[in-house]
């Protein structure tokens, strides 16, 4: 089952966006889920993770600006992005992950469609 990301768009520096990660069925229940991003020419990096208990963790690059949350009843994981910077420009993906620890986590499922976030004036 693939997870689909949506909610991206063009935003000015300092602005906000909310991304949505959805799936058919209750795939999120009992699973840790993460948001990844991939800028052109770069590898795909994990930036935020949330456990099935609601514990969250963040990469240093987004800590204090991004907030991950989940609503298992709606089969949705959210990424609220505030104080956006040009370096946040990337395609964002979501996936189930193996760990809440950012450096140790590995993606568990196949990759679905990402959503492009462009931060530019």
């Amino acid at each position: 089952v693939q997870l689909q990301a949506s909610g991206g768009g063009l935003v000015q520096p300092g602005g906000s966006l909310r991304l949505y990660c959805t799936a058919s069925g209750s795939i999120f229940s009992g699973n840790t889920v993460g948001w990844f991003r991939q800028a052109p020419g770069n590898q795909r990096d994990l930036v935020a993770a949330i456990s099935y208990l609601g514990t969250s963790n963040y990469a240093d690059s987004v800590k204090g600006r991004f907030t991950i949350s989940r609503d298992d009843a709606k089969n949705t994981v959210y990424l609220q992005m505030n104080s956006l910077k040009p370096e946040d420009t990337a395609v964002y993906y979501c996936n189930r992950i193996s760990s809440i620890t950012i450096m140790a986590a590995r993606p568990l499922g196949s990759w679905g469609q990402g959503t492009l976030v462009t931060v530019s004036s």
Side-chain angles (χ1 to χ4, degrees):
V1 177
Q2 292 180 338
L3 305 183
Q4 302 298 327
S6 62
L10 173 64
V11 62
Q12 293 186 343
S16 298
L17 276 178
R18 195 182 200 195
L19 304 185
Y20 304 82
C21 175
T22 58
S24 58
S26 57
I27 189 174
F28 294 128
S29 179
N31 283 291
T32 299
V33 180
W35 279 99
F36 296 76
R37 68 183 182 187
Q38 186 170 21
N42 290 358
Q43 64 182 18
R44 192 170 299 181
D45 293 324
L46 179 64
V47 296
I50 187 165
S51 75
Y52 70 96
L53 294 175
T55 302
S56 59
N57 205 359
Y58 301 91
D60 288 343
S61 58
V62 306
K63 198 171 294 183
R65 300 187 299 120
F66 290 12
T67 302
I68 189 171
S69 59
R70 63 191 294 161
D71 186 339
D72 289 354
K74 295 183 178 180
N75 294 325
T76 303
V77 173
Y78 307 93
L79 186 67
Q80 178 67 41
M81 305 186 297
N82 298 330
S83 302
L84 282 162
K85 305 175 181 180
E87 50 264 43
D88 295 319
T89 295
V91 179
Y92 285 72
Y93 302 85
C94 56
N95 207 333
R96 293 181 294 120
I97 54 177
S98 61
S99 171
I100 191 68
T101 303
I102 296 294
M103 297 304 295
R106 296 294 178 266
L108 295 178
S110 58
W111 293 104
Q113 177 181 323
T115 187
L116 176 62
V117 173
T118 303
V119 185
S120 174
S121 55

